[in-house]
Amino acid sequence: MRTLLTIQKIHIYGFGKHENITISLQDGVTIFYGMNEAGKTTIQQFILQMLFGFPTKQQSQRKYEPKTSPKFGGQLTIQHPIYGQCTIERVKGKATGDVTVYTEDGTKGHEELLAKLLYGYSRASFEAIFSFSIHELQGIEKMSEEELTHLLLASGTTGIHQLSALEKKLDKDAGELFKKSGKLPLINQKIEHLKQLEKTIKKEQATIHTFEAKSLKLQHLEHQLKDLYNQQKTLQHEWQQLTIMKQALPLIEQQDKLQQSLNSNAPVQFPPEGIRRYEQLKDRLTHETLQLTQLEDQYQALQSKLHLTADEQAIEEMTRLMHKEATWNQLVVKEQNLKDELFVLQQDIEAQFRLLGVQEKEAQAILLEGTVSLQQEEQFQRQLTVLSATEEELKFYLQSLEQIHAELDNIAGQKKQLQQEALTAEEEHILAQWPQKKKRLEQLRHVQLQRSKPKQPILFIYLVLAISIVAVVYGVVEKNWAVIVIGAILGLLFLLFLKHAKQVEEEPLERNSHLLKELEQEEHLVQQLLAKKQRLEDRWIVANEQQRDKERQYAQLEHKIQQAEQTSAEANQMLENFLRRFRLEGNVPRTLLPELFMRIRAVQEMDVKQRSTFKLLHAIQNEKNELYEAVQQVLKNEYSEQEIFMHLRASYLAIQQAQQQMLQTTEQVAHLLSKKQEVQSLLQNYESQIAQLFTRANVNSEHAFYETFEHFQQQQKLQTQLQTIQNQLASLEIQQQERLLNGAQLHEKIHALEEERNALQVTIDQCLEERATLQIEKEQLLNDEKYGLLLQQFEQEKALLQQLIEQWASKKMLATAIHETLFRLREEKLPHVLTQVNAIFHSLTAGRYDKLFIHEEGYFEAQAVSGLRYHVAELSQATKEQAYISLRMALAKTLATSAPFPFIMDDPFVHFDRNRTNKMVQLMKEVGYERQILYFTCHEGMLDLWQKEQIVDLGALANERGVTST
Amino acid sequence: MSAIRFFHMADLHLDSPFKGLFGLPDNNLKKIRASTFEAFDKIIHRAIEERPDFLLIVGDIYDGENRSLQAQRRFQTAMETLFEHNIPVIVSYGNHDHLHGSWTRFALPSNVYELPADTSVVQLKIRGQQVNIYGFSYGQRHVKEAMIHHYPVAQDQHAIHIGMLHGSEASDSTHAVYAPFKKEQLLAKGYHYWALGHIHKRQLLHKEPPIVYPGNIQSRHRNEQGIKGFYDVTLSQTSANLTFVPTSAVVYNVVEVDCTNVMHANELLQKCEEAIANNRMEYGASVIDLHLHHIDDEAETLFEHATIDEWLETIREAEDGIEPMGWVQKLFIHKSTASSESTAITKSVISVMDQWDITEWKDILKDLYQHASGARFVEPLTEREIEHLKLEAQALLADEIQRV
């Protein structure tokens, strides 16, 4: 198996100016020749882009998307040391193009497989070693040591560039994150910040630790405050005492003064309430004296009144008469009543007489004398009854007569009506004809009765028929011929009978029955008429009989009436005779007759009464006159009968009054006398009391008494004042030792106390304030989330720091690792590469130069055969290029197995002279055994140095599109 | 024999800061700050509602010297609430809140039994059932001694025995070793339940009897992922029933997004938003590591013009203001095709890194790690960190080499 990676075939679908071109390549060296614009660079780019992808938008490389063809991309057929022959196809697709790799064993892959085919090389790494042009060669003197190293170290690795760039970047980034002695990098800042935070936390912690101290202090303060309050209380008390004392001072002074004035005057005796009592007594004394004089006057006046006296006898007489006043009045009334009564009786009598029609006095007297016994009265009554009975009877007979007359008229009416109701002529005719008709009817009825009879045998006949049938049937059944025969005969008989019956009923019955019906109706009518006629005749007979009866009764009644009239006349005559005996003429009305006797008796009674009443009147008048005279005597004056008792009453009252007054006056006099004595004793009493008062006050005159009182009062007042002050002082409860202080001392002491108190208050205030502050602080501490927050913040910052550290650490690590990797490369691989370089350089320069060094300061030096060393910049252009090529070739050699890629050179030897070019070609040929070389040139001269089959003429290719050069 | 019921929790770390976060807006920061309190309040509410017989708090109520007064007051208030509801609480202090600390101590109510530095027993009588609880509090910050030797072997046949131990297994080298123990040692004590604390990851070391790390009640670090909480335990002499009760107010979570066939920016954003929304539905407020998987060549172009940080910013902006919060802390891109540029030279760079040993690493980074004032704030360089850094550097190399 070959160890080289060679490109065997290039197939361009469309790329830049090329379109649908296939180029087959040799192993070894292939020269692409073409003039400018022939598309050499395009081919070169095609190969690179097929392997590493089309440039993306961000990349600066040129894009070769064809302007004319829709196709973009192509194929590369390569021989791979591991995968064998593979085809890489890349066409337009995503940014870098869609790549497909077809391997020898038929598997298919994409980017990842391609990456493996390319040993993980990126385009940059590839270009660094395997693809170069004159530009790269010319830049060798500008390379820094690192670049140089990297270039040299590219043995077996890609991405050295990137790595080295990354290392730089990482170093920078890490530096931004942290610097050992920096201040600005993030981690340094963070650490500083954390330190600050920690400090704050410590401070906060310290604050928290003060909690207990604060609690203790608070307790202590509480105690202290309590003590202070107690102290304050005592001070306050003391101060109060002193203030009171201060208030009391003037009182004490006054007390002293009062005491002095009291002591200077001798004490004065004075009876209690002496003045009031004295004045009261004096008042009463004057009053009583006055009263005494008044009483005296009254007594004198009454004494004179007592001399008038009254007549006792007259009073007694008057009293007796006064008692008779009722009797007097009764008499007067009685007299009047009797007079009235008499007058009424007289009137009544006269009225009765007028009623009886007795006018004359004579007749009257007779009547008054007449007997009015019961016998007489009965006789009179009897005659009266007979008369009225007779009249009654007569009246009755007349009435009956009238009634019978009416009844007769009635009967006559009835008879007339009956005549009207008699039968009509037509009816009479019917009745007359009836007997013939009746006969005919009888006949017809008879006929009918006969005809209903023959119907009877029919039943029997049918029975015969039934029997006959039964017999026949029986016979047939029983086979009794006799029976059959009998049955047959019976049947025949039956038939015969039927025939006969029909003949009988031929007669006409129709007409008869009709006639019968008519006659029957008529019969009914005639019967009714007959009944009616009978009835009328009966009633006529009855009416006639009644008429005859009534006419007989009438005649009887007329006779009776005549008899009655006669009896009545007789009775009347007898009555008139009776009345004449009492001189009562016929003018007494009939109705009064029954009462006549009663009235006469009444008149007689009234007469008797009148006479007795008259006697009574006389007696009363006598009694009255006696009484009148007695009164007149007493009054000694003429008064009328009516007024006399009134006057008597008036004079009696007057006398009585006078007597009463006398009695009163006598009593008054006695009363006055006793009163006078009382007053006199009172007066004595008062006077002795006054005297007593005077002796008590040690004086003997009123004036002295008053003076003494004045004294006493003053003394009293002083004492009261003193007492008040003493009381006040007592209520102030002043202690003894303080009482001894004077004003100034007191003032001083109060001042001192006040100062002490103020000082104490200040202390208390301070304590309170301190306590409040502490309490607030304590509460704040308890509620303070600051510490927790700080801790959280600290943790947060720490976490952040940790992350930063992680970033830094990973960056730092990576940078170090890269650095170390690169270092190792340099240390281990560089010497090996340099040996190769020297060999190549020596041969290329035809032995003029021996070696290439890397100077300590990071640039190349070339050592000439002479031993002299030259800075690479001091070398000629061609030599520089030779040096560069030497480097590349040497690198490639060391990478023979790890990167067996072809060289792609773009006219790098333009500066070489013929000699050097030959050397170069020589080298290429040597290298060509180990590695494929694709050499792009526009120098015809080069063509002579190679065999024809190694040359691809791009100009010709352009002309014969699609045809390979071989 | 009646069963008893208690809540087992540990590592409250009240008011301790959330580590490894930065760049949060204020409202989210507040939420995260309040998360330990919120989680703790959940427990207290639950206790008041469910009325367990007692609560076990196995160490690390506060976060060492950093404890805030507020945290202590909150704890005190909570204990007083429990006192009002007559629920006893047995507290053992751990390495973070050891007894030696000079901090202010808030007086706790009488329902709280604070275990002393010497192993001792708290005896409770619950509905006639004797319960013995053994444990100790850290006397000082570091207790390297195997405290397990001081625990007595269970004697009383009728009692329920519970061990409280704040420490780590002797074999566990990932955490600083405190009060180390071996599982066999615990089992040998014949207790019915081992209530452990100190390890923030929830673990069931043994089933019968249960040896339990409840984990912390609220994650505070991106290494503490998933839902946190406590155990609601019903325990009798013969059986144990454990129910895990979540309390996390903020969950630290990994969210994966499959970006197959994503071509446009809005598609990518939509996918991310959907994934975050799903996470929000399931876990509530979260801090998220967002992993974008299957980013193919097409999608990769999305990251050619905008850096990952810019994308992260865009996603955060989209999530800003949505409640509960879904804070994307970090964005990871996983490409479907391996970097094609892993060329020979990059390989050799990586192999150079691979060849470095830890001293060489330290030497390389010494600038920072030897930095006088900064060193204190820097996490110590561990193998893991180096491994991580190596990966970072590789990614950086692959990324950067293309851009140069």
Side-chain angles (χ1 to χ4, degrees):
Chain A
M1 189 105 199
R2 293 193 52 180
T3 55
L4 297 181
L5 193 158
T6 54
I7 298 168
Q8 296 189 317
K9 200 164 85 181
I10 297 167
H11 183 184
I12 300 174
Y13 301 155
F15 194 80
K17 64 197 289 184
H18 299 302
E19 198 177 321
N20 205 16
I21 290 174
T22 311
I23 306 168
S24 295
L25 302 178
Q26 302 264 327
D27 290 351
V29 182
T30 303
I31 307 294
F32 287 82
Y33 168 72
M35 305 306 283
N36 292 333
E37 293 296 316
K40 296 194 297 288
T41 314
T42 309
I43 299 277
Q44 189 203 3
Q45 286 298 321
F46 175 76
I47 294 165
L48 287 172
Q49 291 189 12
M50 284 307 282
L51 291 175
F52 299 105
F54 302 139
T56 57
K57 276 171 195 159
Q58 289 89 20
Q59 285 163 323
S60 55
Q61 284 121 325
R62 187 184 153 193
K63 284 193 115 168
Y64 286 88
E65 194 163 351
K67 304 267 191 297
T68 49
S69 167
K71 282 180 173 176
F72 179 44
Q75 279 184 358
L76 277 185
T77 306
I78 61 165
Q79 183 67 40
H80 194 275
I82 299 163
Y83 295 92
Q85 196 176 47
C86 302
T87 308
I88 299 160
E89 186 185 45
R90 189 182 291 271
V91 291
K92 191 179 172 183
K94 60 179 187 180
T96 54
D98 286 344
V99 72
T100 319
V101 180
Y102 306 92
T103 61
E104 208 171 35
D105 57 7
T107 53
K108 219 164 100 178
H110 299 282
E111 295 281 9
E112 74 285 350
L113 181 57
L114 182 60
K116 280 179 188 165
L117 289 183
L118 297 174
Y119 300 91
Y121 269 68
S122 68
R123 181 170 168 161
S125 318
F126 181 85
E127 282 183 318
I129 305 164
F130 302 105
S131 169
F132 51 91
S133 65
I134 186 75
H135 305 294
E136 276 91 24
L137 296 186
Q138 280 169 352
I140 193 162
E141 76 267 25
K142 290 167 198 156
M143 279 181 174
S144 69
E145 188 217 351
E146 231 165 325
E147 280 169 324
L148 265 177
T149 318
H150 291 159
L151 182 71
L152 291 170
L153 294 184
S155 52
T157 51
T158 60
I160 290 291
H161 266 313
Q162 288 101 315
L163 267 187
S164 120
L166 181 56
E167 192 199 335
K168 270 189 200 161
K169 182 174 179 275
L170 288 172
D171 271 338
K172 190 173 154 248
D173 286 355
E176 273 169 20
L177 280 172
F178 175 69
K179 268 182 196 149
K180 211 172 169 181
S181 53
K183 286 249 193 263
L184 290 178
L186 278 175
I187 289 176
N188 298 71
Q189 278 184 30
K190 214 31 80 177
I191 285 170
E192 207 50 45
H193 182 55
L194 271 168
K195 266 202 246 173
Q196 291 304 322
L197 252 180
E198 202 183 33
K199 260 186 214 163
T200 324
I201 286 170
K202 288 255 167 71
K203 220 187 274 171
E204 196 62 32
Q205 238 168 18
T207 328
I208 287 171
H209 280 300
T210 61
F211 179 77
E212 200 160 1
K214 272 176 186 155
S215 294
L216 279 174
K217 183 121 192 240
L218 256 178
Q219 275 181 9
H220 178 70
L221 267 176
E222 289 293 343
H223 282 301
Q224 201 180 340
L225 265 174
K226 219 177 184 179
D227 288 346
L228 284 172
Y229 278 133
N230 280 336
Q231 228 172 309
Q232 197 183 28
K233 229 187 213 165
T234 39
L235 267 180
Q236 185 67 25
H237 185 69
E238 260 176 71
W239 181 81
Q240 266 173 359
Q241 286 295 329
L242 288 176
T243 332
I244 288 164
M245 189 64 206
K246 198 173 158 192
Q247 284 169 4
L249 260 178
L251 282 177
I252 290 171
E253 278 168 24
Q254 210 178 345
Q255 190 189 20
D256 292 347
K257 245 184 245 168
L258 281 172
Q259 200 70 47
Q260 271 176 359
S261 58
L262 258 181
N263 290 343
S264 63
N265 288 343
V268 179
Q269 287 283 324
F270 197 77
E273 290 185 86
I275 291 297
R276 196 183 62 79
R277 273 158 69 192
Y278 171 71
E279 275 170 2
Q280 211 173 29
L281 285 171
K282 213 170 137 188
D283 236 31
R284 278 182 198 162
L285 200 65
T286 352
H287 181 248
E288 294 304 330
T289 326
L290 250 161
Q291 212 172 18
L292 193 63
T293 31
Q294 266 177 12
L295 283 172
E296 203 71 46
D297 290 348
Q298 275 175 14
Y299 182 73
Q300 293 301 329
L302 282 176
Q303 208 66 38
S304 60
K305 254 191 211 169
L306 267 179
H307 297 295
L308 302 167
T309 45
D311 180 6
E312 290 284 333
Q313 231 178 338
I315 290 171
E316 254 170 58
E317 184 59 27
M318 267 185 192
T319 315
R320 197 185 57 84
L321 284 176
M322 277 304 290
H323 286 306
K324 287 213 171 159
E325 192 185 352
T327 325
W328 166 262
N329 283 340
Q330 273 171 9
L331 288 175
V332 173
V333 171
K334 257 183 196 167
E335 185 193 36
Q336 192 59 42
N337 280 353
L338 286 173
K339 274 181 189 166
D340 290 349
E341 211 173 314
L342 270 177
F343 180 73
V344 169
L345 278 173
Q346 194 67 39
Q347 293 285 318
D348 277 357
I349 289 164
E350 271 169 37
Q352 286 299 332
F353 280 129
R354 267 198 306 274
L355 255 175
L356 291 167
V358 186
Q359 236 86 44
E360 306 91 11
K361 290 282 175 193
E362 228 177 310
Q364 279 173 0
I366 292 163
L367 197 59
L368 286 172
E369 295 302 310
T371 40
V372 282
S373 68
L374 282 171
Q375 202 197 347
Q376 292 272 341
E377 192 184 347
E378 204 189 52
Q379 204 184 341
F380 175 74
Q381 263 332 331
R382 209 162 47 225
Q383 280 172 3
L384 209 60
T385 319
V386 170
L387 182 64
S388 62
T390 322
E391 277 173 358
E392 201 71 22
E393 208 175 336
L394 186 63
K395 217 183 210 166
F396 173 72
Y397 290 146
L398 281 172
Q399 264 177 358
S400 300
L401 196 68
E402 198 88 13
Q403 199 180 351
I404 287 163
H405 204 275
E407 273 171 352
L408 275 174
D409 284 352
N410 200 14
I411 289 162
Q414 260 180 17
K415 275 164 91 174
K416 217 174 182 177
Q417 198 184 353
L418 278 172
Q419 271 169 351
Q420 279 171 357
E421 278 176 13
L423 288 178
T424 57
E426 199 184 343
E427 281 167 346
E428 290 289 350
H429 180 69
I430 290 167
L431 278 176
Q433 276 185 348
W434 175 245
Q436 284 123 33
K437 278 184 187 170
K438 190 173 182 183
K439 214 181 271 173
R440 179 73 183 129
L441 179 69
E442 303 276 304
Q443 275 177 356
L444 281 170
R445 274 192 187 143
H446 183 73
V447 171
Q448 208 133 18
L449 198 74
Q450 270 189 337
R451 211 170 359 175
S452 61
K453 266 179 188 167
K455 296 216 172 165
Q456 300 272 336
I458 289 174
L459 230 160
F460 167 75
I461 288 161
Y462 282 106
L463 184 70
V464 171
L465 178 64
I467 292 165
S468 73
I469 290 165
V470 168
V472 172
V473 172
Y474 180 78
V476 173
V477 172
E478 296 290 308
K479 296 199 175 132
N480 192 333
W481 288 109
V483 178
I484 298 169
V485 171
I486 291 163
I489 291 165
L490 281 167
L492 282 172
L493 279 171
F494 173 71
L495 289 170
L496 278 173
F497 174 78
L498 276 180
K499 225 170 195 176
H500 176 73
K502 272 185 184 163
Q503 281 170 349
V504 176
E505 286 179 317
E506 291 293 305
E507 274 187 53
L509 283 167
E510 194 85 7
R511 193 173 51 84
N512 273 354
S513 70
H514 184 70
L515 194 66
L516 184 66
K517 237 177 225 167
E518 259 177 34
L519 282 172
E520 272 170 350
Q521 272 178 354
E522 203 166 332
E523 188 189 20
H524 186 67
L525 185 72
V526 169
Q527 272 169 355
Q528 277 180 345
L529 285 171
L530 275 174
K532 190 180 171 188
K533 192 179 173 186
Q534 191 65 43
R535 223 163 42 227
L536 284 169
E537 275 168 7
D538 286 353
R539 277 164 65 185
W540 184 258
I541 294 161
V542 171
N544 276 345
E545 270 172 32
Q546 277 177 346
Q547 198 178 15
R548 269 193 304 276
D549 260 8
K550 293 295 164 183
E551 275 163 356
R552 204 169 49 238
Q553 277 174 12
Y554 193 82
Q556 278 172 356
L557 278 175
E558 272 178 347
H559 178 68
K560 275 181 190 172
I561 288 165
Q562 275 170 5
Q563 279 180 338
E565 274 171 354
Q566 213 174 343
T567 334
S568 173
E570 278 168 26
N572 229 355
Q573 189 62 46
M574 276 168 71
L575 196 62
E576 262 173 56
N577 291 341
F578 187 82
L579 285 173
R580 212 166 286 136
R581 279 203 324 246
F582 284 97
R583 303 195 66 165
L584 295 167
E585 312 279 311
N587 48 7
V588 176
R590 172 77 53 94
T591 47
L592 276 175
L593 285 177
E595 297 173 52
L596 191 64
F597 267 83
M598 217 170 60
R599 284 188 194 275
I600 297 167
R601 227 178 271 143
V603 172
Q604 285 172 356
E605 274 168 32
M606 275 185 240
D607 189 47
V608 174
K609 208 174 174 183
Q610 196 183 16
R611 260 174 259 165
S612 69
T613 307
F614 209 70
K615 262 185 222 161
L616 217 69
L617 185 63
H618 262 289
I620 284 167
Q621 275 171 343
N622 286 342
E623 208 177 332
K624 196 178 138 193
N625 284 336
E626 265 175 52
L627 202 55
Y628 179 68
E629 269 162 36
V631 173
Q632 257 178 348
Q633 233 172 10
V634 170
L635 290 178
K636 294 162 193 162
N637 217 337
E638 293 280 326
Y639 290 107
S640 71
E641 215 169 286
Q642 283 85 16
E643 290 170 341
I644 188 134
F645 257 87
M646 204 182 64
H647 285 287
L648 175 64
R649 214 180 297 132
S651 29
Y652 176 66
L653 279 174
I655 287 173
Q656 244 178 357
Q657 248 170 12
Q659 201 182 15
Q660 209 99 52
Q661 258 173 356
M662 268 297 293
L663 276 171
Q664 269 179 9
T665 316
T666 328
E667 264 172 49
Q668 273 174 358
V669 169
H671 183 71
L672 278 175
L673 268 174
S674 71
K675 227 173 182 180
K676 229 165 80 178
Q677 273 165 0
E678 263 176 52
V679 171
Q680 268 161 352
S681 74
L682 270 174
L683 278 175
Q684 275 167 8
N685 187 18
Y686 293 154
E687 269 158 9
S688 74
Q689 275 185 24
I690 287 170
Q692 232 171 26
L693 281 175
F694 279 11
T695 39
R696 289 264 298 270
N698 251 348
V699 289
N700 37 22
S701 70
E702 193 187 284
H703 182 72
F705 187 72
Y706 272 99
E707 248 173 31
T708 315
F709 175 66
E710 203 85 353
H711 263 288
F712 177 74
Q713 233 171 6
Q714 202 126 31
Q715 212 169 37
Q716 209 66 21
K717 205 170 134 195
L718 281 172
Q719 244 155 11
T720 320
Q721 277 175 358
L722 190 65
Q723 191 60 46
T724 318
I725 287 165
Q726 273 168 347
N727 282 345
Q728 276 176 355
L729 285 172
S731 73
L732 289 176
E733 291 174 11
I734 298 157
Q735 268 138 36
Q736 274 307 314
Q737 73 262 27
E738 274 151 15
R739 274 181 194 235
L740 304 173
L741 299 168
N742 62 27
Q745 280 173 324
L746 195 65
H747 186 72
E748 212 170 287
K749 205 164 176 188
I750 283 177
H751 188 69
L753 259 179
E754 268 170 2
E755 260 172 19
E756 199 179 341
R757 193 178 62 173
N758 288 344
L760 193 66
Q761 190 59 48
V762 169
T763 326
I764 285 173
D765 285 350
Q766 276 171 353
C767 273
L768 278 175
E769 207 173 307
E770 205 175 337
R771 185 176 70 166
T773 323
L774 270 174
Q775 264 168 346
I776 287 165
E777 276 173 5
K778 192 180 160 186
E779 207 48 42
Q780 266 173 353
L781 278 177
L782 275 176
N783 288 320
D784 194 10
E785 287 187 31
K786 196 171 152 204
Y787 182 59
L789 275 170
L790 272 173
L791 283 182
Q792 185 64 51
Q793 204 184 340
F794 186 66
E795 283 303 330
Q796 217 168 321
E797 291 297 327
K798 248 165 86 174
L800 200 53
L801 175 68
Q802 202 55 39
Q803 174 159 339
L804 288 172
I805 286 170
E806 231 168 68
Q807 281 174 14
W808 173 81
S810 54
K811 279 179 176 150
K812 177 83 180 161
M813 275 168 57
L814 192 57
T816 315
I818 290 169
H819 188 80
E820 201 169 313
T821 310
L822 293 178
F823 177 78
R824 277 190 206 175
L825 283 175
R826 194 165 57 198
E827 291 301 299
E828 290 161 19
K829 297 203 173 165
L830 199 58
H832 179 59
V833 175
L834 281 176
T835 327
Q836 296 281 341
V837 170
N838 292 340
I840 296 168
F841 191 53
H842 184 73
S843 104
L844 276 182
T845 54
R848 281 189 62 195
Y849 292 96
D850 270 346
K851 280 179 182 174
L852 271 174
F853 291 104
I854 294 173
H855 189 265
E856 280 168 3
E857 291 189 359
Y859 53 86
F860 275 109
E861 276 185 337
Q863 192 184 348
V865 187
S866 58
L868 283 171
R869 291 189 180 189
Y870 299 95
H871 188 285
V872 91
E874 292 169 338
L875 299 175
S876 71
Q877 185 63 31
T879 312
K880 269 194 270 183
E881 286 172 22
Q882 279 175 330
Y884 192 84
I885 288 169
S886 303
L887 279 171
R888 297 258 172 164
M889 292 297 179
L891 271 174
K893 262 193 180 170
T894 59
L895 298 173
T897 48
S898 61
F901 302 119
F903 270 116
I904 299 171
M905 305 182 198
D906 191 1
D907 255 351
F909 313 134
V910 285
H911 295 114
F912 289 11
D913 57 18
R914 188 163 185 81
N915 197 15
R916 286 188 182 186
T917 307
N918 283 338
K919 288 276 181 196
M920 195 60 227
V921 170
Q922 189 64 38
L923 180 64
M924 277 170 71
K925 279 179 181 167
E926 269 172 46
V927 174
Y929 293 112
E930 294 164 11
R931 206 172 279 269
Q932 193 184 27
I933 296 172
L934 305 179
Y935 188 88
F936 293 84
T937 183
C938 60
H939 295 281
E940 245 174 298
M942 279 300 280
L943 301 179
D944 304 333
L945 299 170
W946 303 94
Q947 289 173 10
K948 209 176 173 192
E949 60 266 22
Q950 290 179 301
I951 297 164
V952 176
D953 187 349
L954 289 172
L957 205 69
N959 297 335
E960 308 168 47
R961 187 169 288 171
V963 180
T964 58
S965 60
T966 50
Chain B
M1 285 293 169
S2 61
I4 56 162
R5 186 179 172 202
F6 62 90
F7 288 179
H8 169 202
M9 71 207 75
D11 303 284
L12 311 183
H13 290 279
L14 294 177
D15 207 16
S16 63
F18 224 86
K19 291 187 179 170
L21 292 185
F22 53 88
L24 279 95
D26 277 353
N27 54 339
N28 287 354
L29 191 65
K30 215 171 253 172
K31 170 83 180 162
I32 278 174
R33 279 252 312 114
S35 59
T36 51
F37 288 139
E38 216 175 299
F40 183 56
D41 286 348
K42 275 187 195 171
I43 296 173
I44 300 302
H45 281 149
R46 180 108 179 168
I48 290 162
E49 263 170 44
E50 305 271 325
R51 301 196 153 270
D53 297 316
F54 54 89
L55 264 59
L56 299 181
I57 305 180
V58 193
D60 290 0
I61 295 165
Y62 312 111
D63 208 7
E65 281 77 10
N66 286 343
R67 66 173 65 187
S68 70
L69 290 169
Q70 215 191 356
Q72 293 183 82
R73 184 148 86 157
R74 287 286 276 265
F75 184 74
Q76 186 195 34
T77 314
M79 290 304 111
E80 257 148 22
T81 314
L82 293 179
F83 174 73
E84 278 160 29
H85 290 83
N86 203 17
I87 299 170
V89 184
I90 296 97
V91 175
S92 77
Y93 293 109
N95 52 315
H96 277 291
D97 47 4
H98 56 94
L99 300 173
H100 194 62
S102 63
W103 41 74
T104 314
R105 276 169 224 285
F106 282 52
L108 295 174
S110 61
N111 62 323
V112 182
Y113 300 86
E114 294 168 278
L115 290 167
D118 296 323
T119 309
S120 52
V121 60
V122 173
Q123 294 190 313
L124 296 176
K125 197 104 177 175
I126 287 152
R127 293 183 296 279
Q129 173 64 59
Q130 177 72 33
V131 184
N132 291 355
I133 300 161
Y134 309 91
F136 71 97
S137 286
Y138 276 48
Q140 58 274 317
R141 181 80 171 86
H142 300 283
V143 175
K144 303 260 163 114
E145 186 194 352
M147 290 298 286
I148 186 67
H149 299 308
H150 300 297
Y151 283 70
V153 173
Q155 297 290 341
D156 187 348
Q157 292 288 309
H158 303 293
I160 290 178
H161 301 275
I162 298 171
M164 281 170 80
L165 180 52
H166 187 86
S168 50
E169 256 187 299
S171 55
D172 189 351
S173 58
T174 53
H175 294 80
V177 176
Y178 285 104
F181 60 86
K182 290 200 184 83
K183 214 194 286 180
E184 296 72 38
Q185 289 175 316
L186 299 189
L187 292 174
K189 301 294 178 188
Y191 294 174
H192 297 101
Y193 187 92
W194 273 99
L196 305 182
H198 181 58
I199 304 296
H200 290 187
K201 187 175 157 47
R202 176 149 62 102
Q203 278 169 294
L204 201 62
L205 295 186
H206 196 266
K207 220 169 170 189
E208 279 174 5
I211 301 177
V212 184
Y213 278 119
N216 52 353
I217 61 168
Q218 167 63 51
S219 54
R220 299 168 308 115
H221 198 274
R222 68 175 285 230
N223 291 343
E224 297 171 1
Q225 295 208 337
I227 295 181
K228 299 289 186 174
F230 67 93
Y231 274 109
D232 178 349
V233 184
T234 306
L235 186 67
S236 71
Q237 285 207 320
T238 49
S239 70
N241 191 1
L242 278 74
T243 314
F244 177 71
V245 182
T247 54
S248 299
V250 178
V251 176
Y252 214 117
N253 223 1
V254 173
V255 172
E256 321 254 356
V257 182
D258 181 2
C259 297
T260 315
N261 295 331
V262 166
M263 264 185 93
H264 291 148
N266 51 4
E267 288 172 341
L268 180 69
L269 271 180
Q270 199 188 335
K271 285 226 172 192
C272 292
E273 278 169 39
E274 271 172 25
I276 293 167
N278 287 339
N279 177 76
R280 177 179 292 121
M281 289 278 284
E282 199 175 341
Y283 300 104
S286 310
V287 174
I288 294 164
D289 280 350
L290 191 65
H291 288 259
L292 305 183
H293 291 283
H294 304 295
I295 300 282
D296 55 21
D297 293 345
E298 302 283 351
E300 223 181 303
T301 54
L302 289 171
F303 296 94
E304 268 173 22
H305 308 308
T307 63
I308 289 178
D309 282 344
E310 280 167 332
W311 275 105
L312 179 59
E313 203 48 53
T314 310
I315 292 167
R316 282 175 179 175
E317 273 166 21
E319 292 302 315
D320 189 30
I322 302 174
E323 286 293 324
M325 68 174 223
W327 172 257
V328 180
Q329 180 56 34
K330 210 161 181 190
L331 186 62
F332 297 86
I333 310 285
H334 302 275
K335 291 170 183 171
S336 55
T337 52
S339 173
S340 56
E341 293 295 332
S342 132
T343 56
I345 188 86
T346 55
K347 272 183 200 153
S348 65
V349 172
I350 289 162
S351 80
V352 165
M353 283 196 281
D354 282 339
Q355 284 158 22
W356 289 339
D357 63 16
I358 186 126
T359 39
E360 273 169 299
W361 278 105
K362 283 184 175 168
D363 186 50
I364 292 160
L365 301 175
K366 70 183 173 192
D367 279 0
L368 180 67
Y369 285 89
Q370 288 181 349
H371 192 264
S373 52
R376 283 183 300 119
F377 308 118
V378 181
E379 301 274 323
L381 197 63
T382 60
E383 298 266 2
R384 250 174 76 172
E385 187 64 18
I386 286 168
E387 211 51 48
H388 175 68
L389 281 175
K390 213 187 275 180
L391 287 174
E392 284 280 307
Q394 279 180 27
L396 186 67
L397 176 62
D399 194 41
E400 290 288 335
I401 200 83
Q402 284 179 311
R403 292 176 198 268
V404 173

